[in-house]
Amino acid sequence: EDWAGFRLQGGRYEEITLDAQGQLISQILELALVRWQGVYKGIETTWLRWAQLDGTVLRIPDEELDRERYRTEQERQRAEQAETQVAQIVRNLLQNGMEIAQVSQMTGLTVAQVESLQLQ
């Protein structure tokens, strides 16, 4: 949370104060240094990023690829969790006396899929 910006003014460094949006504005670069929440190189955290004065964050070359990898990993984890939950539900239904055909019809799984989950 502790960050600061400085500009060289008359041979001395002067602190740049945060603007109303919490950004450090560089008048020479005509850019703002902003806090950005997101994923870069597989790490999700708050990063310092350069942005245009209208708030548009400047792109990092690998950024789109990192976002896609992160989304793919999140989707994989959600799918894995859903599969685990379905398997547990199937096992619970079978343990409570429901027939394999009924579990198949109820879950939308094939009889073979239900049987394979029963064996796990």
Side-chain angles (χ1 to χ4, degrees):
E1 293 299 316
D2 188 21
W3 64 308
F6 297 87
R7 70 173 148 254
L8 189 58
Q9 188 80 13
R12 298 185 63 196
Y13 284 99
E14 295 180 357
E15 187 171 357
I16 301 171
T17 56
L18 296 173
D19 71 358
Q21 289 77 37
Q23 307 175 98
L24 293 172
I25 305 294
S26 170
Q27 298 299 329
I28 293 173
L29 297 176
E30 295 184 359
L31 293 172
L33 191 60
V34 300
R35 288 184 177 106
W36 175 79
Q37 181 68 36
V39 178
Y40 180 67
K41 299 283 185 190
I43 300 170
E44 182 176 14
T45 191
T46 302
W47 300 92
L48 294 180
R49 296 279 303 267
W50 288 109
Q52 296 174 358
L53 297 179
D54 67 2
T56 305
V57 176
L58 301 182
R59 294 260 182 221
I60 298 170
D62 295 337
E63 182 175 0
E64 205 55 46
L65 183 58
D66 277 348
R67 281 188 190 165
E68 189 56 36
R69 285 180 186 148
Y70 181 73
R71 275 189 229 115
T72 301
E73 178 60 20
Q74 282 186 319
E75 289 170 12
R76 186 195 65 73
Q77 288 176 1
R78 279 193 292 271
E80 191 175 283
Q81 184 179 25
E83 288 175 11
T84 300
Q85 289 173 339
V86 167
Q88 186 60 51
I89 290 167
V90 167
R91 285 191 289 276
N92 288 345
L93 292 173
L94 293 170
Q95 287 173 359
N96 287 313
M98 191 174 281
E99 297 293 323
I100 290 175
Q102 290 174 304
V103 174
S104 171
Q105 185 177 16
M106 181 180 283
T107 61
L109 298 172
T110 66
V111 169
Q113 288 171 318
V114 173
E115 288 173 339
S116 72
L117 291 173
Q118 181 183 25
L119 299 174
Q120 292 179 0

